[in-house]
Amino acid sequence: MQGLNHCPAFCRYYQSATMASQRLGLAEESGPNPGESELAVNPFDGLPFSSRYYELLEQRRALPIWASRFIFLEQLESSPGGVVLVSGEPGSGKSTQIPQWCAEFALARGFQEGRVTVTQPHPLAALSLAMRVADEMDLTLGHEVGYSIPQEDCTGPDTLLRFCWDGLLLQEVASTRGTGAWGVLVLDEAQERSVASDLLQGLLQNARLGNLPGDSRVVVVTDPALEPKLQAFWGNPPTVHVPRRPGTCPTPVYRDTVPTDRVEAACQAVIELCTKEAPGDVLVYLPSEEEILLCCESLSREVGPLALRGPPPRVLPLHPGCGPAVQAAYEDTDLGARKVVVTHWLADFSFSLPSIRHVIDSGLELRSVYNPQIRAESQVLRPISKCQAEARRLRAKGVPPGKSLCPTEIKHEKNPHTQTQETCSGLLSQVFLPSGSCLCLYPKSFLELEAPLLPTARICEVNLSPVVLLLKRRQIAEPGECHFLDQPAPEALMQALEDLDYLAALDDDGNLSDLGVILSEFPLPPELAKALLASCEFNCVDEMLTLAAMLTAAPGFTHPPLSAEEAALRRALEHTDGDHSSLIQVYEAFIQSGADKAWCQARGLNWAALCQAQKLRGDLLELMQQIELPLSQPAFGSEQNRTDLQKALLSGYFLKAGRVGPSILPE
């Protein structure tokens, strides 16, 4: 709040915040009168609205959620427990409009309780939404609207609306007492069941039992499938139901059998759509990033020679390793060029692309699942849930860019809480949009027999050591005392406590030791944080910083070598000591190349992932300097450094070590 005291919007409009919010609401409802657009002033920065604001306002009013605007603001103001639940299908406008309305609500209260914070389960979604919302609000990104994601903080003292990765907010909550400096907290995409989202709700539920600080508000946004569980968890809070989008959903077309080559089957389906010249963009769901890249490369080769009327389709990958390049999926650079977006579970609920008219669904996802019995993580290929399958089918119900579903001449009169919703809903239902197509690369019985109803909660599939460490930092003595939407298995919690005890992160009373407090400050798994701290003792901090960053960032290799030349260049980066030393060698070669993108492409390396590792390494180094931990000079390649690095790794990963017995030695 100290930054808000110096915020121009806060200082200028504190005394008349309520009136400013009302003026904003009137401008959004009626739009500008002829010749008055220059007179309307944005209450968040005091500048006149631009013409683009009104262009985007027309698109916003076409969203299904717009009919629930007054209902939402009314519930947000009057909710007895400070919690509001918003339930609506993907693509209805929840993620872009709810934050703006919360900012209006906070503005009317003069931001006395703090700014508005919006969480997303994926960092790229937080970045993308911040850019879109800043554009819709006619504000500057990084000033009044900002975002916080790993290795990138685009906020300032003037920031009133912040989008952030839920894992980052969880780290902030863990390192401070209380629930944070926010007046309204929006937990978006709760149905994705990320660890951070579930844990934040548990911590907030604990805080809610003792009343939230001040007069804060919590908004939980979800898919209708998870609504009953959230209703029970939060004690039946006020719920805002978003009207369904107009138009008909396409009837899924199922294959008789599961194809042996998913990538080839998906490529053939895309080519068939392009050949038929069916209007609209295409969204392809594959299980893994590797298959996404293979599909993009194959399509880029095959769609070029096609004899099409317009320009060739643009093939775009969409996965966490893409970085800011994901914005290309929203851009219209070539008029008339079809976009083919190839993605996985990342776009099940996030990244609503309004121009999508065709969906090709593999029905599978590749997830990392931790087994506490063997203390190992494995990649599991499994069917998606029925909820995900429905969300993917609804993607084909998209609206072409610029298509207005709700006429701009709507006038809201009489009681705004009843007439508005009925009028807009009625007009929306009268608009007809031709349905797209949804091709499922699996039989209908595949999901009916094998798929669960809802996505599995990630907190039940991950190593719980970081979760338990956080709960201990929050001084919740027993992890079982924290509320969870789905309680993790008791044996998984016990194994996590044992692992922390082995790492000396707990004292004899089961509380955090001094070492445990330091471990909880690092955005790393406890084992890796312990290895990094041990490197101070063994004089290999420089190498361990690099290794920690490379292990935490996205995978540095995009695919197996595609040619003999690429394989030879990649072999030159391998180290005889194994994968850990190879990762360090790859990073150092990347830095020596000047972080050159072409250098990475020639070796099949993920340039965005290596840039992410570079930023993360800098953050870890800065954190170690803040804690005043001793550093060491680089010595990679020497025999002594090799031994020291092995000792540091074993200090954190001793539970992963094994003794080679005579029976398994090679003859």
Side-chain angles (χ1 to χ4, degrees):
M1 281 299 297
Q2 292 180 354
L4 290 176
N5 293 332
H6 302 285
C7 170
F10 178 83
C11 296
R12 191 177 304 165
Y13 295 98
Y14 178 81
Q15 298 297 331
S16 58
T18 302
M19 295 178 61
S21 180
Q22 291 173 348
R23 290 198 301 270
L24 178 64
L26 289 173
E28 291 183 345
E29 292 306 318
S30 60
N33 293 325
E36 290 186 2
S37 59
E38 296 182 358
L39 300 179
V41 175
N42 191 329
F44 291 100
D45 63 2
L47 299 176
F49 285 119
S50 66
S51 59
R52 177 164 176 77
Y53 170 81
Y54 294 104
E55 294 174 4
L56 295 177
L57 178 59
E58 182 177 350
Q59 297 179 21
R60 292 170 58 195
R61 295 175 64 197
L63 295 169
I65 196 173
W66 193 264
S68 305
R69 180 171 180 265
F70 282 112
I71 300 295
F72 171 76
L73 289 172
E74 184 180 61
Q75 299 288 10
L76 191 63
E77 176 65 39
S78 61
S79 174
V83 179
V84 176
L85 186 62
V86 179
S87 174
E89 66 181 24
S92 58
K94 306 185 302 296
S95 297
T96 55
Q97 304 311 301
I98 292 294
Q100 298 185 56
W101 300 342
C102 290
E104 287 182 42
F105 172 80
L107 176 66
R109 297 164 48 162
F111 292 96
Q112 296 180 36
E113 304 299 334
R115 65 193 73 194
V116 178
T117 297
V118 184
T119 68
Q120 287 291 326
H122 310 295
L124 291 183
L127 168 63
S128 178
L129 283 170
M131 296 175 67
R132 174 65 183 183
V133 169
D135 197 19
E136 289 187 358
M137 296 181 70
D138 211 14
L139 297 173
T140 304
L141 185 65
H143 291 269
E144 295 83 10
V145 178
Y147 63 88
S148 299
I149 59 177
Q151 294 87 57
E152 190 171 357
D153 183 23
C154 186
T155 62
D158 298 349
T159 300
L160 309 174
L161 175 57
R162 180 178 76 132
F163 291 82
C164 72
W165 177 47
D166 55 11
L168 196 60
L169 182 65
L170 186 61
Q171 295 173 14
E172 296 174 3
V173 170
S175 60
T176 59
R177 295 183 180 273
T179 53
W182 44 262
V184 182
L185 176 62
V186 181
L187 300 174
D188 199 4
E189 308 294 4
Q191 74 281 349
E192 293 215 23
R193 305 304 305 276
S194 69
V195 174
S197 178
D198 277 16
L199 197 51
L200 280 169
Q201 291 188 68
L203 294 174
L204 288 169
Q205 173 74 323
N206 281 5
R208 179 171 172 266
L209 295 178
N211 294 324
L212 290 172
D215 192 20
S216 301
R217 295 289 190 272
V218 176
V219 180
V220 183
V221 184
T222 182
D223 185 86
L226 191 64
E227 180 187 335
K229 183 183 283 287
L230 290 172
Q231 282 276 7
F233 181 80
W234 287 103
N236 296 315
T239 303
V240 177
H241 295 95
V242 181
R244 295 180 65 88
R245 287 187 292 170
T248 57
C249 291
T251 301
V253 177
Y254 297 94
R255 289 286 176 89
D256 295 333
T257 58
V258 177
T260 55
D261 189 337
R262 289 183 296 272
V263 174
E264 178 64 24
C267 290
Q268 290 300 322
V270 172
I271 292 174
E272 184 177 347
L273 282 171
C274 294
T275 304
K276 291 181 178 180
E277 297 189 354
D281 295 339
V282 184
L283 187 61
V284 182
Y285 285 97
L286 291 171
S288 65
E289 291 186 20
E290 181 179 348
E291 290 179 304
I292 290 173
L293 295 172
L294 290 175
C295 183
C296 289
E297 292 170 358
S298 178
L299 284 174
S300 298
R301 291 193 305 267
E302 296 181 23
V303 298
L306 295 178
L308 303 176
R309 295 181 183 177
R314 298 172 58 210
V315 182
L316 303 169
L318 178 57
H319 57 80
C322 292
V326 297
Q327 289 302 117
Y330 293 91
E331 297 172 356
D332 294 322
T333 55
D334 299 323
L335 294 178
R338 184 201 304 271
K339 285 183 291 191
V340 179
V341 181
V342 188
T343 186
H344 57 13
W345 44 261
L346 178 68
D348 282 340
F349 303 101
S350 302
F351 297 97
S352 295
L353 304 171
S355 59
I356 296 298
R357 306 297 293 146
H358 307 280
V359 170
I360 300 170
D361 181 17
S362 66
L364 296 169
E365 64 177 4
L366 187 69
R367 290 285 195 170
S368 297
V369 178
Y370 182 78
N371 187 339
Q373 296 180 345
I374 60 175
R375 290 185 168 91
E377 191 176 75
S378 59
Q379 297 285 305
V380 177
L381 183 66
R382 64 190 184 189
I384 60 175
S385 66
K386 293 181 175 66
C387 176
Q388 291 170 278
E390 177 65 11
R392 293 181 179 187
R393 183 173 72 94
L394 290 173
R395 292 299 193 196
K397 198 179 177 182
V399 182
K403 179 74 174 181
S404 178
L405 301 183
C406 188
T408 57
E409 292 79 14
I410 297 178
K411 301 294 183 180
H412 302 303
E413 300 174 354
K414 300 182 181 179
N415 187 342
H417 304 302
T418 56
Q419 178 72 13
T420 301
Q421 184 163 2
E422 294 173 1
T423 304
C424 195
S425 298
L427 288 169
L428 287 173
S429 65
Q430 297 172 12
V431 179
F432 172 76
L433 291 176
S435 61
S437 66
C438 179
L439 173 62
C440 300
L441 302 177
Y442 51 84
K444 187 175 182 179
S445 59
F446 177 73
L447 285 182
E448 293 178 350
L449 298 177
E450 301 185 40
L453 179 61
L454 295 170
T456 305
R458 294 297 297 158
I459 202 167
C460 298
E461 296 184 329
V462 300
N463 183 356
L464 294 180
S465 295
V467 174
V468 174
L469 186 66
L470 181 141
L471 294 178
K472 291 291 184 180
R473 181 63 184 265
R474 293 289 296 177
Q475 297 181 353
I476 299 177
E478 297 297 333
E481 295 178 6
C482 182
H483 291 77
F484 294 101
L485 278 169
D486 287 290
Q487 193 73 20
E491 55 270 22
L493 288 171
M494 287 303 300
Q495 181 256 308
L497 284 168
E498 289 180 3
D499 289 356
L500 292 177
D501 189 39
Y502 294 150
L503 291 170
L506 304 179
D507 59 21
D508 294 339
D509 297 326
N511 300 318
L512 279 189
S513 63
D514 293 339
L515 176 62
V517 173
I518 297 177
L519 292 179
S520 67
E521 289 291 336
F522 285 90
L524 302 171
E527 302 87 353
L528 187 54
K530 177 66 178 296
L532 183 57
L533 290 180
S535 68
C536 300
E537 176 184 354
F538 297 112
N539 298 316
C540 56
V541 176
D542 187 84
E543 293 74 23
M544 199 63 221
L545 279 171
T546 299
L547 184 55
M550 290 291 287
L551 290 172
T552 305
F557 298 94
T558 57
H559 50 68
L562 300 178
S563 64
E565 181 182 1
E566 183 177 313
L569 291 173
R570 187 177 292 188
R571 276 196 300 271
L573 298 175
E574 296 177 358
H575 198 283
T576 55
D577 285 348
D579 292 344
H580 290 128
S581 296
S582 294
L583 288 175
I584 298 175
Q585 190 154 283
V586 166
Y587 178 83
E588 292 195 347
F590 169 72
I591 297 300
Q592 291 174 5
S593 74
D596 184 58
K597 193 171 186 178
W599 181 89
C600 293
Q601 292 174 342
R603 291 157 179 79
L605 299 177
N606 189 333
W607 177 80
L610 291 174
C611 291
Q612 180 187 9
Q614 184 181 14
K615 293 180 180 178
L616 178 58
R617 189 186 187 280
D619 291 345
L620 293 175
L621 177 59
E622 181 180 355
L623 182 57
M624 293 189 72
Q625 292 171 337
Q626 290 176 357
I627 304 176
E628 299 183 353
L629 294 172
L631 305 177
S632 59
Q633 295 297 318
F636 182 67
S638 67
E639 187 64 28
Q640 183 62 44
N641 181 262
R642 173 189 180 188
T643 303
D644 292 339
L645 189 60
Q646 291 173 347
K647 290 179 179 179
L649 281 170
L650 282 174
S651 298
Y653 289 97
F654 50 85
L655 290 173
K656 308 283 186 179
R659 183 182 296 276
V660 179
S663 60
I664 59 174
L665 286 174
E667 297 181 358

